[in-house]
Amino acid sequence: MRVKIGSLEMKNPVTVASGTFGYGPEYADYIDLDRLGAVTVKGISVEPHVGNQTPRTFETASGMLNAIGLPGPGAQGFIDKYIPFFAEYSVPLIVNIWGKTVEDYGAVTEILGSQERVGALEVNVSCPNVKEGGALYGTNVDLFRTVVDEVRAKTETPIIIKLAPNVADIKRFAKAAEECGADGLAVMNSYPAMAIDIETRKPELANRTGGLSGPAIKPIAVKLVWEAAQAVDIPIIGMGGIYTPEDALEFIVAGATGVAVGTANFTDPSSALRVIDGIETWLAEHHVRSVNDLVGTVRA
Amino acid sequence: MNQEKTTVLEHRVFQGDYRLLRVAAPIIGPQVKPGQFVHLRVPRLEQAVLRRPFSVFKADEEGLSILYATVGMGTEVLNSVESGEVIDLMGPLGTGFPTLGKDKTLPVLVAGGYGNAALYLQAKNLPIKGGAFFGGRTAQDILCVGEFEALGWDVRVTTDDGSLGTKGLVTAALDPWLAEQDLDAVELFSCGPNPMLKAVGDRALEKGFTAWLSMDRNMACGVGACLTCVIKRKTEAGWEWARCCKDGPVFNAEEILWED
Ligand SMILES: Cc1cc2nc3c(=O)[nH]c(=O)nc-3n(C[C@H](O)[C@H](O)[C@H](O)COP(=O)(O)OP(=O)(O)OC[C@H]3O[C@@H](n4cnc5c(N)ncnc54)[C@H](O)[C@@H]3O)c2cc1C
Ligand SMILES: Cc1cc2nc3c(=O)[nH]c(=O)nc-3n(C[C@H](O)[C@H](O)[C@H](O)COP(=O)(O)O)c2cc1C
Ligand code: FES
């Protein structure tokens, strides 16, 4: 079940998706965090950030919209408040980071990349819900390179670049990340989307638009993982609507080395553990020795 | 805080739009404190990714019950659940009502809608029983008056249409009553629609008595992880976000920064 993302070793391929699992302690009463391949925490920027007004989420058919807007305690706040919590666990810690400017990305990387407890940085260049930077860095390949270059220059810690789904050709971004020295990719972030109340004629979210996640986006995510995997040799963490072991295996066959369980945590906090157990059983039943042997085995 | 597969023991119309759902929950039941809630996965609602939060009405060693109104897709499907079926619950969640302050001798309850259910355990646990003010649109919305009276509470009812008790908003009964009390002794506990909570909170600040409000916000995770359910909580520097599912749903009226 072991997989590697750069020098980050995961004892199984399953992590949780940033923003759906808080900063670590929130679900610790429900599942044993040490059973996960890694814990990925909510996006952190260099300074504390307030995020969007409410309503911030809205349920849709087989999915949900979110426009949380990346509120958070800032890099130092995260270190003070949450790093001590992880001392009690051995699970690898992936910290999702974001910035409003290239300099911000560099600064947060410097602070968090030098933390011994941080196993990898997942670089969010694709948040649909913040006006500055965010999605722009994820959809313009030149700006995208400046961010990945900056982050790479500031740390030796493995960096995983989280790609935006709403681009014409994800292969270009995947390649660019690899060329700039990324250790892995995360595919995909939630998809820009909207819902409107026809009676009030107002958008359901205070931010007006948000990101769609959950089973509704799974087929989109599988395709993007499949495309990105053909373009690069670095490992990919696939995500988007993963609820079951079969969902996760589909991503792996498409080309993902790791997978992340996101919205499913809200539906059932034990989702990630069920996915881990189910993958293990499936591999045994199908006489596949290592999950790595299954990665990208989709047939033409 | 646990996740438990509970078995439905009883499910019936309670009154008007409200149904009572009682489940065997030997893990969660005994842990429940007044004002806490459970996060319920509606069976057979596969296309919904989110659970639904409900205040605990009653709880004991064996299980717990909720009182719910049918307002949308989730509660509609919940209607069809039958005895013996399994319901996945997370709970007990949130920070509920505190016990009566040391210098307080006059507890007051103010409830509207399902707020009556949310306040029942608090009403039972409080060492002194004072005044209870229930408001609703019609007589059908006024729940559990007899049960609160049986606990020793002096219950006053108001309805918008005058079909039960005094005609008007709950404040129409509360204001004249409060005017005759020693406000330093008053500690008020409230759960109901937002305008009611705000009206109660405003009075607490104006008149200087202590009030605890249980806030209803849409929720996703229910455990403090997603930052959906936030309200503005006053700080020295201005305000910060507080999560209704974890830091609340019960807040001191003084803490809440109401928007518009
Ligand atoms: C802490 C807390 C305690 C509650 N206790 C009770 C109770 O004891 N009895 C009771 O009848 N109701 C209670 N509610 C409200 C209850 O959660 C909603 O009525 C229910 O979620 C509606 O679901 P639906 O699918 O039928 O409605 P829909 O409108 O179809 O739901 C769509 C989405 O909106 C959310 N939603 C809709 N209305 C509310 C609301 N008023 N509050 C929060 N989320 C909402 C749903 O959870 C769902 O995610 C409580 C809410 C909170 C936050
Ligand atoms: C409430 C919520 C908050 C999120 N916050 C972040 C975030 O802070 N950073 C980030 O890179 N992605 C964030 N995401 C996106 C998820 O990490 C994930 O990419 C996306 O939801 C798709 O996976 P899913 O369908 O399994 O949820 C968030 C998603 C949700 C639903
Ligand atoms: S509902 Fe997720 S933080 Fe409260």
Side-chain angles (χ1 to χ4, degrees):
Chain A
M1 288 284 271
R2 277 177 193 286
V3 298
K4 276 183 88 174
I5 311 286
S7 60
L8 175 77
E9 295 200 23
M10 293 166 58
K11 64 174 172 293
N12 66 60
V14 181
T15 183
V16 286
S18 174
T20 67
F21 208 74
Y23 300 104
E26 292 83 358
Y27 279 109
D29 286 337
Y30 295 92
I31 68 169
D32 176 4
L33 303 185
D34 280 339
R35 289 207 48 213
L36 295 170
V39 167
T40 307
V41 297
K42 172 94 188 142
I44 303 288
S45 53
V46 63
E47 297 294 336
H49 190 64
V50 296
N52 291 331
Q53 298 301 309
T54 56
R56 286 175 165 184
T57 59
F58 181 74
E59 195 180 49
T60 59
S62 296
M64 63 183 284
L65 300 179
N66 86 82
I68 309 290
L70 296 171
Q76 196 55 49
F78 174 77
I79 290 169
D80 296 343
K81 232 175 138 186
Y82 297 105
I83 292 284
F85 167 82
F86 281 99
E88 294 167 37
Y89 294 89
S90 59
V91 65
L93 172 60
I94 302 175
V95 180
N96 182 284
I97 57 168
W98 69 281
K100 292 178 187 172
T101 62
V102 174
E103 294 71 43
D104 278 357
Y105 275 101
V108 69
T109 302
E110 249 183 326
I111 300 170
L112 291 169
S114 60
Q115 286 288 315
E116 214 173 299
R117 191 62 184 83
V118 175
L121 295 175
E122 182 181 64
V123 187
N124 180 4
V125 288
S126 50
C127 183
N129 306 320
V130 287
K131 288 193 181 58
E132 313 93 339
L136 203 58
Y137 291 121
T139 52
N140 176 312
V141 83
D142 297 323
L143 289 172
F144 177 84
R145 280 178 187 276
T146 61
V147 171
V148 183
D149 275 337
E150 174 71 9
V151 170
R152 182 72 291 169
K154 291 283 158 48
T155 192
E156 307 265 283
T157 300
I159 59 171
I160 301 162
I161 313 301
K162 190 159 179 181
L163 303 182
N166 50 315
V167 292
D169 183 5
I170 199 161
K171 295 195 282 298
R172 285 180 67 209
F173 290 83
K175 262 211 187 77
E178 186 174 46
E179 285 164 10
C180 296
D183 298 279
L185 304 174
V187 179
M188 64 183 252
N189 211 315
S190 52
Y191 200 96
M194 187 176 194
I196 302 167
D197 180 328
I198 54 166
E199 297 302 330
T200 62
R201 302 195 192 179
K202 279 183 163 162
E204 299 280 6
L205 297 173
N207 191 54
R208 303 205 292 273
T209 63
L212 180 62
S213 68
I217 65 168
K218 197 190 83 177
I220 300 175
V222 170
K223 172 184 177 265
L224 292 175
V225 166
W226 174 68
E227 286 181 341
Q230 294 170 41
V232 297
D233 292 322
I234 50 175
I236 298 172
I237 298 180
M239 67 193 82
I242 295 177
Y243 268 64
T244 65
E246 292 75 18
D247 293 337
L249 287 159
E250 190 178 345
F251 277 85
I252 293 168
V253 170
T257 298
V259 291
V261 174
T263 301
N265 294 307
F266 303 155
T267 319
D268 185 344
S270 61
S271 298
L273 299 189
R274 270 194 292 103
V275 169
I276 294 169
D277 292 340
I279 293 175
E280 201 157 19
T281 308
W282 193 94
L283 293 178
E285 281 171 6
H286 290 74
H287 310 290
V288 181
R289 267 195 15 259
S290 159
V291 66
N292 293 290
D293 295 343
L294 198 65
V295 175
T297 52
V298 58
R299 297 189 175 127
Chain B
M1 285 168 289
N2 289 96
Q3 183 177 3
E4 185 176 7
K5 301 257 186 253
T6 66
T7 307
V8 177
L9 298 174
E10 187 184 359
H11 188 201
R12 61 176 168 85
V13 173
F14 186 77
Q15 177 185 315
D17 291 340
Y18 283 87
R19 278 167 197 260
L20 174 91
L21 178 70
R22 191 162 63 86
V23 297
I27 300 171
I28 296 174
Q31 302 178 55
V32 176
K33 296 198 196 69
Q36 288 190 301
F37 67 95
V38 289
H39 216 18
L40 184 154
R41 176 92 181 113
V42 179
R44 297 189 293 279
L45 191 63
E46 296 301 326
Q47 73 275 29
V49 296
L50 299 181
R51 290 170 177 256
R52 303 294 190 257
F54 296 99
S55 301
V56 175
F57 174 36
K58 294 180 180 176
D60 57 31
E61 298 300 310
E62 276 88 49
L64 60 88
S65 59
I66 63 169
L67 279 184
Y68 74 93
T70 303
V71 298
M73 180 180 66
T75 44
E76 228 161 74
V77 173
L78 191 58
N79 279 194
S80 68
V81 165
E82 289 176 9
S83 288
E85 260 191 80
V86 172
I87 296 187
D88 186 326
L89 289 187
M90 289 164 68
L93 298 175
T95 307
F97 292 107
T99 53
L100 197 63
K102 268 205 282 311
D103 50 341
K104 304 295 177 189
T105 52
L106 186 55
V108 180
L109 309 176
V110 180
Y114 73 78
N116 300 58
L119 281 165
Y120 180 80
L121 284 178
Q122 179 73 348
K124 193 172 150 208
N125 283 18
L126 284 168
I128 307 170
K129 318 295 180 190
F133 295 82
F134 296 169
R137 270 170 298 127
T138 76
Q140 285 297 312
D141 303 318
I142 307 294
L143 306 172
C144 314
V145 172
E147 296 209 56
F148 280 77
E149 282 176 343
L151 291 172
W153 291 86
D154 176 12
V155 179
R156 319 283 170 103
V157 173
T158 53
T159 50
D160 297 354
D161 66 355
S163 55
L164 193 70
T166 311
K167 184 175 162 131
L169 299 176
V170 78
T171 42
L174 182 64
D175 287 338
W177 186 85
L178 278 176
E180 290 177 8
Q181 313 301 328
D182 169 12
L183 293 180
D184 290 334
V186 166
E187 185 158 10
L188 187 148
F189 308 91
S190 185
C191 182
N194 278 315
M196 192 196 89
L197 293 178
K198 178 158 193 319
V200 169
D202 286 348
R203 281 162 176 76
L205 265 54
E206 259 165 47
K207 299 188 160 72
F209 60 86
T210 306
W212 301 92
L213 312 179
S214 179
M215 305 289 284
D216 178 338
R217 281 290 181 286
N218 280 28
M219 291 180 178
C221 71
V223 299
C226 72
L227 309 175
T228 289
C229 63
V230 294
I231 62 162
K232 288 176 179 169
R233 176 161 67 187
K234 292 178 201 161
T235 62
E236 268 170 33
W239 61 270
E240 63 181 7
W241 294 115
R243 300 159 301 180
C244 283
C245 68
K246 186 87 182 173
D247 310 308
V250 176
F251 294 93
N252 190 307
E254 279 184 344
E255 298 178 290
I256 298 169
L257 185 65
W258 293 93
E259 308 200 55
D260 48 63

